[in-house]
Every structure is written in C-alpha cells, then in structure tokens.
Amino acid sequence: EQIRRKKREERLEKIRQNVQLKYAAKRKRCEEDEAKRLLQLSKEALSQGAGEDALDQLDHNEEELILAEYESDDEKKVVSGLEEDDDDDLEEEHVTKIYYCSRTHSQLSQFVREVQKSPFGKDTRLVTLGSRQNLCVNEEVRRLGALQLINDRCMEMQKNKHEKKSSEENEGKKRRVSRTVCPFYSFEQMQFLRDEVLVEVKDIEQLVSLGREAKACPYYGSRFAIPAAQLVVLPYQMLLHEPTRNAAGIKLKDQVVIIDEAHNLIDTITCIHSAEVSGSQLCCAHSQLSQYMERYRKRLKAKNLMYIKQILYLLEQFVAMLGGNVNQNPGCQAVSQTGTVLKSINDFLFQSQIDNINLFKLFGFVERYGGPASAVKTNKENQKVAGLQDFLLTLQQGSDKEAGTQSPPVEAEHDQLRAASPLMQIEGFLSALTNANQDGRVILNKQGTVAQSSLKFLLLNPAVHFAKVVEECRAVIIAGGTMQPVADFREQLLCCAGVDPARVVEFSCGHVIPPENILPIILCSGPSNQQLEFTYQTRDLPQMMDETGRILCNLCNVIPGGVVCFFPSYEYEKQVYGHWEKTGLLSRLAARKKIFQEPKKANQVEQVLVEYAKCIKRCSQTGGQMTGALLLSVVGGKMSEGINFSDDLGRCVIMVGMPYPNIKSPELQEKMTWLDKTMPRAGGQAPSRVLIENLCMKAVNQSIGRAIRHQKDFASIVLLDHRYARPAIFNKLPQWIRERTQVKAAFGSAFAELRKFHRGKLDAL
C-alpha cells in the first residue's frame, strides 16, 4: 500500500512540475480532432451514393430491443463462482478521506471556495461530485434539460460505445448501423482529467470548463478521482442513497462523513426513500409493456416472459387497489370512494394479492431493463439491457404525438417527466415495498379519477437507511446552523440505528455576532391589548388579523430597510393580505414599505428577490417617506431556507403565530402513531407531541436565522404569539437567540425597545 501511495504521490508531483506533459496531451488531442474531421469529410463524399441499402439495416436495428436473459443476483452467484473478485486487484485502493455533503450545489461550491482560500488549499486532493445535470459537457445531451432525460441519453450513448466494441469483435455478423457515442467518454482523457483534478482544488464550474477543454467527461472523470482523493464533496442524495453511493464508487468503510446543513436530515432520508406512482403512470406502463410483450413474444426467453407477465399482473392489481381497471382510460374512470387509506406493507401486498411474488427478484429485473442501468459494466449481454427502455421511449413518442393535438398545453415540467419511462417511478415503488413491514406504510390516495389517484410509500423509520452509514464510518459529523432541537437526531436517527449512546457527542457554540447586535422579542399582545394567540380557531378572527396589521404598521415606522414577515402557510398569508386590502390597512403599510409577496412558483423567486433588494437600495439612497420594503413570506416556503437576508435586506424578521404542521395529514398521523409505539416517553410528554413541537420550532429557527448572515450584521426578531414564552417552547430556541430574548406582555415597552435598538444602530453606522 505504501509503495502504491508513493507512486501516486510521485505521479501527481510530476504533473504539477511538468507543464510540457499537459501540452503534449493537448497537442495529441488537437491532432486527433483534425484527423477525425478529414475522415468525416471523406465519409460524406462517399455516402452520397449509399442511400439504397439503408433500408434493410433498419429492421436490423430492432434486434437490440429484445432482452438478454435476466438472472437475479443469487442465480448469478451459482453460475459465476468466484469470477467477480478478479477485478478488485486492479482497483485503486481508497485512502482515508472525508466525505463532505450538503444540500445544494451552491452550498458545495461555497465550501470548495473556502478550501481554496485556506492554508490547506494548495496540497489537498479534493474532488467534487455532482449530477449529470451539473457536470455533463455534451451540449447535445445538456439541451434535454430534465435530469431523467439526460441520464437516459447518457446511458444509451455508453451502451452504444460498448456495442461498438463488441460488434467490431463479431465482424462476421452483419455490420451494425453506427450510432452516436459520447466523444467525452474516453478512458484516456478521463484519466487525464482525474490527475488534473487531484493536482489542484477545483469547484464544479472549473471542473466543467476543464472537461470541455480536455474533451473528457467530468461526471465519470471525477468518479475516477475518488480513491486517491482526501476530500470528496458531494450532494446529500449521493451519500445517503445506497444504490447511488455504490454506483458512484463511494466506499464508506473507516472513512469520515460530514453532513452539513443537516437540520432537514430526517426529512431528507425519508424523502429519498419514499416513492409515489400515479394511476396514470401505472396504466401507461401497463399499456406499453403489453404492447412490448405482444410484439416480441416469440423472441423472448421463457424466464423473461414470466417476469414481464408478473409485472403486468402487479400493475393490474395496483390499479385495482385504486378502484380502477387497467384496460380503460384512467382519465375517464371516476373513483367511487375518494379519500386516503393507509396500509402496512404486508397488508397492501396481501390485499393486492401479490404477496406470493418475489419482489426482490422482480425489482432486480425492472432495475435492469426498465431504466438506465446505474453503472455500465462492459460485458457482451449489456448490449441488450436498454432494449426495453428504447422500445418504451419509441412507443411514448408515438403516443405523445397522437395525444398532442387535443391535449391542453401542460406545463413544461410535466412534459419532461412524461418523456421518461414510467417504469422508473414504478421501479422506485417496488424497491420501497422491499422495506421491512414495520418500517413503512403504503398510502392509497384516491382522488376524482384513477389517473389523479396515487399509491405512495411512506418511510417511517429513516434509521434503517442511515444505519449503514453509521456502522461503516469511522466518524460521522452531523452539523448545521440551526440544529435545535437536537433530540430528534439522537432518538430517531442514532438510537434507532443501534448507535451506542456513549458514541454520541454533542457540541454547540455561540454565534459570531456580538450579543448587542440582535434583539429578539416575544410579543404577547398587540397595540390594542388583543392577546396574540394564532391557533387554528382564533387566527381567522378579524380582530387577530387587524392586530397583526397594526403591529406591522408600527414596526415599519421605526425599522429601516427590509422587513421579512413569515406566515405559517400560503393560505393564511393570502387570507390576511385580502383582509388588509379590504380594511385599508394595506395602503397604510404601503406608504412606508413597498410590499412584496413570496411567489408560489419556484422559478419566480429570483425575480421577486431582485426587485425587493433594488427597492431597499433605492429607498436608502433617496430618503423620503418610503423607508424600504416588506416581504411577506411563508415558513417552509422558498424564502425560509438557503436565502440570505443579510444587512439591509433583513433588519427585522417577524414570525406570525406558530407554524405547527398540519395535524390532519394522514402521513403525519401515521408517523405520530409509530413514534408513540416505538419511542420512550420523554419528560412526561408523548413522543408524538414532542415531534409536533420540534417540527414547529425547527421551522421557526430556520426562518429567523435568515437575518443574521455575518459578523457585523444586526437585526431584531419579533415572535408574535404568547405561547413562545412557554418554557418547553422557549427552550427550543437556539441558545444564541434564547440568551438575548425579552418577553414583553405589552406592546408599548416592546415598541420602545425596538425603536431604541434600531436608532442606536443607525447612529453607529
């Protein structure tokens, strides 16, 4: 191992020193490009006379739509004996490394830039991993836009590459029609990229431009760099989802994992492993698969025919569970009893009469043929793997064209999703059904028609999927700016994953800002002494909405710049806004601050934020009546996470009421029941009650943390609801806020404090 390590160090050092090596590689590529161009020209000249024999080649093209024989893993082992281990000797060993993951690509880029600035920036071997959407450099593929389509196309091109190799070997057979292969997927160039990545720290943008220049695929090239890297930077999903982790070649044994921005970790794991399929997807898959079976029945191997029939049976039963018939148009079948039903996995399998089918084998079959394989192995039979996928796509395009004339214009997002085969969604759902019975539930959601209804798998116990990470790693660090309340992580994730409590260490530090830069206030009543309590029963009362408006009017008179006001839901924000419009309060507010509302559509957020910031800047320069802007946002919406209201963008954050989750949601009720059954009571409270409070306070902490973004920043925080002063709730505020919080029974003294705070800060500026 040491000899190997030494060799690698020497090779990288050589690359650092030897600029000529780089240019040699570059020159070679230019020469190859030129040769290719000339070859292409001569081919075109020749091909003008060759139109006639194109016809008989086309039917030949259908050959690869027939599936190679599928063997499930346990059958394979019997046949192949020990062959699989031979590869491992060639594989590079993994050095001890840190896997750093965060939620979004922009957070990862920020982290990489910090590494570059640090004293370790020069000699750390760092590689950034991302999705094809972020890393693909093949313009023709990038243009497809939707991740699913990019993935499918990439896989298809690789399959073509492997086919090309094997068809050259079988020269005796009729020549294959040449199909597009990806010019960037070249082993030699990707090795060059790998070395370049390891020599110098690069973020995603730099990686992509290097890939373009070197004509090497950054998506696969970066994976080659994992074994030798000391720091691997990657999005959550790649680390937390085992199949993705394995496909990327990530090995966690004895490594260190840092999960940043982890306040949503439990939800993230739950979402990654939950799956939903709609009635229309089930029917669509059934019709495509039946057509496939009819068309190629005579050519299919008996075992494959059996698997396909089983899948058709499954799809039929799933649609029947939604109260429909798979042979009729799902959009025209009305559902008799609408509503939501929850079932345990076993009950669902039993009632849909599929409990006698081996889901593990079947899921393996769908995984192999239904979607793009997650890792392409260079073996002969691989040529036929994507056959079914190709066939389904051709069917899909056909049906889209026919339907295209009458169907109303659907939003672009839906179109993109439709273009990918529905078998992918169904594969996810089948995979979810292989979870242990007690760890999840199946939700039957029956809406107006079969097409609108859906089956959803809900994971109740995220620990089963996190356990592997915790077992394999030497250390796991779960970090974030707003991790309070921490008990969730300890109980639901770590204890349930079998972690010894002695292994868990908790560390929390203060904030970088001086304590006098923040003024948090819990306000118990408004200017007309109306007690502030925004429960489902009281928050719709006109006097509550009036009082909220009066408080905002008063605060906007003394707070400069931007004020961000969070409501518990979109619906409530709309209701209050409408009420203020009627009573004339809105125009009084608008005289002081220009009012912006958080948009529901994600693609409009950027626009609103830009306008909001411009308005604040303009007001601070011109002076006059208008002192800035007021942004009405929603807790858990687009603005409450990942967006920085630093400096003048957020001088005050106001929280209207307590954003408790919707207790009527069947999914939440099921989770509560499950917690009460499996968790111990803590401090006399039922675990379900604690969950509700924690969900609420996590959302509050996340939202109010938006305003303080750097060391010299300052802001006031106003919580409107007397319930925040209750000890159980109060103690769930982050320590740096809690220590400074004042509870004000009356509005007058709170207003005086706020005026003093903001005047003092203005004078200091």
Side-chain angles (χ1 to χ4, degrees):
E1 193 176 309
Q2 283 184 327
I3 292 169
R4 261 198 250 166
R5 197 168 286 187
K6 198 161 179 240
K7 270 190 181 158
R8 185 181 51 236
E9 290 292 345
E10 282 167 2
R11 193 184 76 232
L12 292 176
E13 197 42 50
K14 209 164 164 183
I15 295 171
R16 275 197 194 95
Q17 302 307 329
N18 193 347
V19 189
Q20 281 159 334
L21 261 181
K22 261 192 204 179
Y23 288 114
K26 204 167 170 181
R27 197 168 59 241
K28 183 166 174 258
R29 281 198 305 277
C30 294
E31 285 165 8
E32 282 171 5
D33 285 353
E34 184 56 21
K36 266 190 201 141
R37 201 176 62 85
L38 293 172
L39 192 67
Q40 188 57 37
L41 286 172
S42 52
K43 269 188 190 157
E44 281 165 13
L46 283 171
S47 68
Q48 288 175 347
E52 299 83 75
D53 52 331
L55 285 172
D56 63 306
Q57 287 180 330
L58 285 180
D59 332 356
H60 191 75
N61 229 2
E62 255 183 301
E63 280 296 324
E64 76 245 2
L65 295 182
I66 292 133
L67 300 174
E69 180 152 18
Y70 168 71
E71 291 175 344
S72 65
D73 290 342
D74 40 356
E75 293 167 311
K76 257 192 213 131
K77 285 194 183 93
V78 182
V79 185
S80 66
L82 294 169
E83 287 167 12
E84 288 191 0
D85 295 345
D86 301 348
D87 270 0
D88 292 349
D89 303 340
L90 306 173
E91 256 192 58
E92 208 179 336
E93 43 101 28
H94 283 235
V95 304
T96 303
K97 59 177 88 318
I98 296 175
Y99 286 99
Y100 171 91
C101 50
S102 193
R103 223 166 48 98
T104 62
H105 280 293
S106 62
Q107 285 163 343
L108 294 174
S109 291
Q110 245 173 333
F111 174 72
V112 174
R113 282 197 287 279
E114 290 301 324
V115 174
Q116 286 169 330
K117 285 193 290 194
S118 77
F120 317 106
K122 283 280 173 281
D123 43 31
T124 300
R125 298 193 298 274
L126 177 147
V127 56
T128 308
L129 304 178
S131 62
R132 286 186 179 85
Q133 213 166 9
N134 290 83
L135 289 176
C136 176
V137 287
N138 186 331
E139 280 312 315
E140 183 189 325
V141 179
R142 277 178 79 96
R143 272 204 297 271
L144 296 171
L147 181 62
Q148 185 66 64
L149 298 178
I150 292 177
N151 285 345
D152 288 1
R153 183 80 181 112
C154 175
M155 285 302 173
E156 190 192 338
M157 286 174 133
Q158 282 178 59
K159 189 194 83 192
N160 295 340
K161 186 174 184 74
H162 297 310
E163 253 168 37
K164 211 169 165 182
K165 277 189 193 151
S166 54
S167 63
E168 280 159 12
E169 288 159 22
N170 313 336
E171 223 16 274
K173 291 190 188 167
K174 189 163 183 190
R175 255 329 279 272
R176 271 284 164 95
V177 186
S178 83
R179 318 260 296 293
T180 338
V181 296
C182 182
F184 297 93
Y185 191 74
S186 128
F187 191 63
E188 219 178 318
Q189 283 143 251
M190 290 193 292
Q191 277 187 311
F192 169 76
L193 185 87
R194 173 198 66 191
D195 292 343
E196 282 295 301
V197 164
L198 292 172
V199 164
E200 184 185 36
V201 176
K202 293 177 177 54
D203 65 14
I204 281 206
E205 286 71 33
Q206 294 166 315
L207 182 60
V208 168
S209 54
L210 176 69
R212 286 207 175 98
E213 185 194 323
K215 290 207 168 29
C217 171
Y219 179 73
Y220 285 102
S222 56
R223 290 179 174 196
F224 285 141
I226 296 175
Q230 294 160 314
L231 186 51
V232 178
V233 178
L234 70 171
Y236 273 179
Q237 281 73 354
M238 277 183 111
L239 187 104
L240 297 172
H241 187 238
E242 200 184 351
T244 313
R245 194 162 70 222
N246 296 341
I250 292 166
K251 294 184 176 166
L252 295 181
K253 191 89 188 93
D254 296 331
Q255 308 292 24
V256 177
V257 163
I258 300 177
I259 301 174
D260 199 357
E261 293 287 330
H263 52 273
N264 283 347
L265 184 58
I266 294 176
D267 294 345
T268 305
I269 298 175
T270 306
C271 285
I272 292 175
H273 296 94
S274 297
E276 186 167 19
V277 283
S278 67
S280 61
Q281 284 173 323
L282 291 166
C283 290
C284 168
H286 187 277
S287 111
Q288 292 183 357
L289 209 48
S290 328
Q291 292 177 59
Y292 179 82
M293 188 176 81
E294 283 317 306
R295 182 156 189 185
Y296 297 114
R297 180 178 285 248
K298 295 191 175 61
R299 304 285 306 275
L300 288 168
K301 304 264 194 311
K303 195 190 277 174
N304 286 342
L305 195 57
M306 173 192 82
Y307 279 127
I308 289 178
K309 282 183 170 162
Q310 280 188 349
I311 298 173
L312 286 169
Y313 172 70
L314 272 189
L315 294 170
E316 211 169 301
Q317 295 304 105
F318 286 167
V319 173
M321 287 292 275
L322 291 173
N325 177 341
V326 80
N327 298 315
Q328 293 166 9
N329 179 346
C332 307
Q333 296 181 64
V335 173
S336 48
Q337 300 152 305
T338 55
T340 306
V341 190
L342 280 121
K343 297 190 181 306
S344 71
I345 301 179
N346 288 352
D347 287 350
F348 175 76
L349 296 178
F350 190 71
Q351 285 172 11
S352 52
Q353 298 169 334
I354 56 172
D355 49 322
N356 55 347
I357 289 178
N358 181 337
L359 282 178
F360 283 96
K361 282 191 174 184
L362 198 54
F363 161 61
F365 177 80
V366 180
E367 185 179 36
R368 173 102 205 258
Y369 296 121
S374 48
V376 172
K377 301 245 186 344
T378 16
N379 52 10
K380 298 272 169 57
E381 75 203 81
N382 215 79
Q383 306 162 18
K384 299 192 173 171
V385 164
L388 180 57
Q389 180 74 6
D390 290 351
F391 175 77
L392 294 180
L393 277 173
T394 55
L395 274 182
Q396 187 92 27
Q397 285 148 4
S399 65
D400 280 358
K401 282 191 192 99
E402 288 156 31
T405 44
Q406 312 90 338
S407 68
V410 198
E411 282 191 20
E413 287 171 28
H414 292 307
D415 285 353
Q416 291 181 339
L417 288 176
R418 272 182 61 193
S421 161
L423 270 180
M424 285 299 290
Q425 299 295 110
I426 290 155
E427 174 196 329
F429 185 66
L430 285 180
S431 155
L433 290 179
T434 60
N435 274 292
N437 182 49
Q438 67 277 11
D439 293 331
R441 296 286 178 273
V442 179
I443 302 172
L444 282 70
N445 188 6
K446 299 183 180 180
Q447 295 302 328
T449 63
V450 171
Q452 293 162 334
S453 303
S454 65
L455 297 173
K456 179 172 182 183
F457 172 80
L458 171 70
L459 178 71
L460 293 175
N461 182 7
V464 288
H465 293 289
F466 195 58
K468 197 129 193 194
V469 177
V470 183
E471 276 161 29
E472 292 192 336
C473 291
R474 161 204 307 226
V476 178
I477 298 173
I478 302 174
T482 34
M483 296 291 283
Q484 268 91 359
V486 178
D488 292 12
F489 296 101
R490 188 187 283 280
E491 283 149 27
Q492 289 183 45
L493 264 192
L494 302 172
C495 293
C496 286
V499 176
D500 172 7
R503 195 183 155 193
V504 183
V505 180
E506 228 178 275
F507 169 76
S508 160
C509 52
H511 205 290
V512 294
I513 58 159
E516 63 274 10
N517 275 18
I518 155 188
L519 173 64
I521 287 180
I522 294 173
L523 191 55
C524 302
S525 58
S528 61
N529 290 331
Q530 167 75 44
Q531 190 194 34
L532 299 176
E533 181 174 358
F534 294 84
T535 59
Y536 280 114
Q537 292 75 35
T538 59
R539 69 183 196 184
D540 300 341
L541 299 171
Q543 61 264 36
M544 285 303 280
M545 298 196 268
D546 290 339
E547 199 71 339
T548 310
R550 282 189 212 105
I551 293 170
L552 278 176
C553 276
N554 277 304
L555 296 188
C556 286
N557 279 332
V558 295
I559 295 166
V563 176
V564 185
C565 179
F566 284 103
F567 288 86
S569 69
Y570 278 106
E571 290 66 44
Y572 189 56
E573 188 266 335
K574 242 184 155 147
Q575 188 184 346
V576 172
Y577 189 87
H579 180 78
W580 289 347
E581 248 177 343
K582 279 210 287 285
T583 59
L585 231 158
L586 199 67
S587 50
R588 269 174 53 203
L589 259 177
R592 281 320 228 155
K593 304 270 185 203
K594 188 172 159 86
I595 299 171
F596 292 88
Q597 286 173 285
E598 174 175 330
K600 243 186 166 165
K601 288 195 179 143
N603 55 5
Q604 297 166 359
V605 171
E606 195 53 42
Q607 186 59 41
V608 172
L609 282 173
V610 168
E611 293 297 320
Y612 171 74
K614 266 191 200 154
C615 172
I616 291 169
K617 197 168 175 192
R618 209 173 38 241
C619 293
S620 76
Q621 286 164 350
T622 53
Q625 266 275 285
M626 278 281 242
T627 60
L630 168 65
L631 178 59
L632 305 177
S633 310
V634 176
V635 175
K638 315 284 180 300
M639 308 284 184
S640 65
E641 247 187 76
I643 287 172
N644 296 341
F645 294 111
S646 56
D647 300 323
D648 268 354
L649 294 184
R651 283 303 177 209
C652 177
V653 175
I654 300 167
M655 182 64 77
V656 178
M658 302 188 68
Y660 280 111
N662 176 9
I663 244 159
K664 295 197 179 71
S665 123
E667 299 182 21
L668 187 58
Q669 285 184 339
E670 195 59 33
K671 177 96 188 184
M672 287 162 71
T673 314
W674 180 81
L675 282 173
D676 285 342
K677 271 197 205 128
T678 51
M679 297 284 171
R681 285 176 75 87
Q685 270 191 312
S688 56
R689 178 76 210 142
V690 177
L691 170 80
I692 296 298
E693 261 175 27
N694 287 352
L695 285 171
C696 167
M697 291 311 289
K698 272 209 164 73
V700 169
N701 294 343
Q702 198 46 44
S703 303
I704 58 184
R706 297 291 101 213
I708 302 281
R709 304 315 295 174
H710 60 83
Q711 207 171 357
K712 298 200 167 59
D713 212 349
F714 65 90
S716 52
I717 295 167
V718 185
L719 305 174
L720 306 186
D721 202 306
H722 74 97
R723 292 173 295 169
Y724 281 111
R726 291 179 185 164
I729 302 286
F730 184 75
N731 288 328
K732 286 179 178 167
L733 286 166
Q735 193 181 345
W736 61 281
I737 291 181
R738 196 171 59 227
E739 287 169 349
R740 306 288 304 159
T741 302
Q742 306 182 20
V743 178
K744 298 287 186 186
F747 181 73
S749 69
F751 182 71
E753 276 299 329
L754 282 158
R755 189 171 52 197
K756 191 172 93 188
F757 174 80
H758 284 287
R759 283 212 175 136
K761 291 292 172 203
L762 273 182
D763 298 343
L765 284 175

